[in-house]
Amino acid sequence: MSTSSRASGLPARPPSSPPSQSKPPLLALLRAKLRLGHYSLRTEQAYRGWVVRYVRFHDLRHPADMGEREVLAFLHDLAERKRVAASTQVQALAALQFLYRDVLNQPLELEGRIPRGRAPGRVPTVLTRDEVLRVLEQLQGSYALVGELLYGSGLRLLEGLSLRVKDLDLARREIRVRRGKGERDRVTVLPERVLDRLAAHLVEVRKRHMRDLAEGAGSVVLPGALSRKYPKAARTWPWQWAFPASRLYQDAETGEWRRHHLHPSAMQRAMIEAVKRSGISKRASCHTLRHSFATHLLEGGYDIRTVQELLGHRDVSTTMRYTHVLNRGALGVRSPADQLGR
């Protein structure tokens, strides 16, 4: 086994292949196919993780030497021993189907052999306006601004963290979300209450960027092939992250010193601590702020199509899950208990 194969924990090629017909490592082939299909980075990371788990589950046998039986055994283990959610099992199956169909050219024949579990239709956790305010007051610095945008603009966490300076239109009070979920762009509202603080924040970010440039850094990753089309754009102000990380890193391919945006785990930790300090009794996460954004808009009388546009949902049925708020509270059904006498 080669050094690269040992490092990844996966065999580079089927043991039966002669040396003269050796292929690139399996994970490299998987990555190449995913990028050829323009799959998102998060999908690439998820599929890679499932392929690694699958191979390790079968004692590092190469997938080309396995098939439907081994895939079924792996999926049954996920369901019976690890008791994963239905959506998790679906994702694992999708990753393995992609591996066998698009990478190994050995399509799986699993039709009718795997019962399709249905994920429970859970109502999303939603904070009241007072609870949102209590949580946001416990966030500090850049985390506070990100939290305000997750709630005030209905952004997903990664959408908020990966905003670039050019995506923020303070004059029009708009945010342009680039390549959101499903690779779709959209425009959403920029809360007026954050304008002054966001402008002051960007002034400090620009000062840091100028220092980075003076020290030979100041470059960021550009999407797609833009770095080849516009070689100097990566060092310009409009392309910089609105919420940059505190540390530089050296790019392994180019050797450039760059600054990435805040890592999702950092914001998630800050949110967990803020919820604890706020004293609210609900289990809330960064995504809860997005749920609260949608719910409060519906409570305020905005039509569901408008909310769908702002959230970036492809299908209005996804947005419909927030209409549970219309069945209760001041705008919904009044409990018969409230109509009793004393």
Side-chain angles (χ1 to χ4, degrees):
M1 187 180 294
S2 67
T3 303
S4 61
S5 300
R6 286 195 298 268
S8 65
L10 299 182
R13 56 183 173 83
S16 57
S17 301
S20 61
Q21 297 179 2
S22 62
K23 299 178 180 179
L26 180 66
L27 295 181
L29 289 171
L30 177 69
R31 180 180 60 195
K33 284 289 186 178
L34 286 166
R35 294 188 178 180
L36 183 64
H38 293 278
Y39 285 76
S40 71
L41 178 60
R42 299 190 78 181
T43 299
E44 178 183 321
Q45 293 169 339
Y47 279 21
R48 182 189 187 280
W50 284 118
V51 171
V52 170
R53 292 185 188 96
Y54 171 64
V55 172
R56 288 177 176 169
F57 178 78
H58 289 293
D59 300 322
L60 300 186
R61 291 173 60 195
H62 197 283
D65 297 331
M66 300 186 284
E68 288 89 352
R69 184 177 64 181
E70 287 79 9
V71 169
L72 286 171
F74 177 66
L75 295 176
H76 279 299
D77 181 73
L78 290 178
E80 296 174 7
R81 187 171 65 87
K82 296 188 177 179
R83 302 179 66 85
V84 300
S87 58
T88 303
Q89 186 174 348
V90 168
Q91 186 188 66
L93 175 59
L96 296 179
Q97 285 179 322
F98 182 90
L99 171 70
Y100 278 95
R101 181 187 64 243
D102 296 88
V103 180
L104 300 176
N105 296 316
Q106 300 172 204
L108 298 172
E109 297 181 3
L110 296 173
E111 189 67 32
R113 302 178 65 180
I114 302 178
R116 290 281 181 170
R118 179 175 294 180
R122 294 192 178 92
V123 173
T125 299
V126 175
L127 304 180
T128 65
R129 288 173 175 79
D130 178 65
E131 289 170 337
V132 169
L133 184 60
R134 287 163 60 185
V135 171
L136 293 179
E137 287 176 342
Q138 298 302 319
L139 292 169
Q140 303 295 323
S142 297
Y143 300 126
L145 273 174
V146 173
E148 294 248 24
L149 293 181
L150 297 184
Y151 171 67
S153 306
L155 301 177
R156 299 177 179 91
L157 176 57
L158 200 55
E159 291 174 346
L161 296 180
S162 60
L163 287 172
R164 298 180 190 262
V165 173
K166 66 182 185 61
D167 300 328
L168 301 170
D169 191 335
L170 276 63
R172 293 177 59 88
R173 300 173 188 173
E174 291 179 350
I175 295 177
R176 295 192 174 272
V177 179
R178 310 285 184 177
R179 304 177 71 182
K181 189 173 183 180
E183 296 295 297
R184 296 188 299 277
D185 292 0
R186 73 179 189 276
V187 177
T188 187
V189 61
L190 176 60
E192 184 175 353
R193 62 174 277 144
V194 306
L195 289 177
D196 291 341
R197 283 177 290 140
L198 184 57
H201 167 78
L202 292 177
V203 169
E204 295 303 315
V205 172
R206 187 161 198 173
K207 289 179 181 178
R208 178 187 290 178
H209 174 56
M210 298 305 292
R211 290 196 298 268
D212 287 346
L213 289 174
E215 295 171 1
S219 176
V220 294
V221 174
L222 297 183
L226 283 177
S227 58
R228 293 196 299 273
K229 190 174 182 180
Y230 306 109
K232 297 181 180 180
R235 296 168 64 84
T236 60
W237 169 239
W239 281 99
Q240 301 304 304
W241 305 113
F243 300 103
S246 58
R247 297 180 181 179
L248 295 167
Y249 74 97
Q250 189 172 26
D251 185 85
E253 294 183 5
T254 66
E256 291 182 306
W257 284 96
R258 294 176 171 173
R259 197 180 292 276
H260 200 46
H261 59 67
L262 284 174
H263 197 276
S265 63
M267 181 62 199
Q268 288 164 343
R269 287 194 298 269
M271 183 67 179
I272 290 172
E273 290 303 315
V275 171
K276 287 181 181 178
R277 290 194 297 269
S278 72
I280 67 173
S281 58
K282 297 176 182 176
R283 182 182 178 184
S285 65
C286 293
H287 208 66
T288 305
L289 296 175
R290 175 174 158 90
H291 291 325
S292 302
F293 165 84
T295 301
H296 295 166
L297 283 180
L298 290 172
E299 287 179 335
Y302 288 92
D303 67 276
I304 197 163
R305 290 291 183 180
T306 299
V307 178
Q308 177 192 0
E309 287 281 330
L310 294 174
L311 291 173
H313 288 158
R314 186 190 299 271
D315 196 315
V316 72
S317 63
T318 307
T319 319
M320 288 290 289
R321 64 178 173 163
Y322 296 112
T323 59
H324 70 281
V325 301
L326 304 181
N327 297 325
R328 60 174 176 78
L331 300 179
V333 176
R334 187 183 180 192
S335 170
D338 295 332
Q339 301 177 37
L340 296 176
R342 55 183 177 81

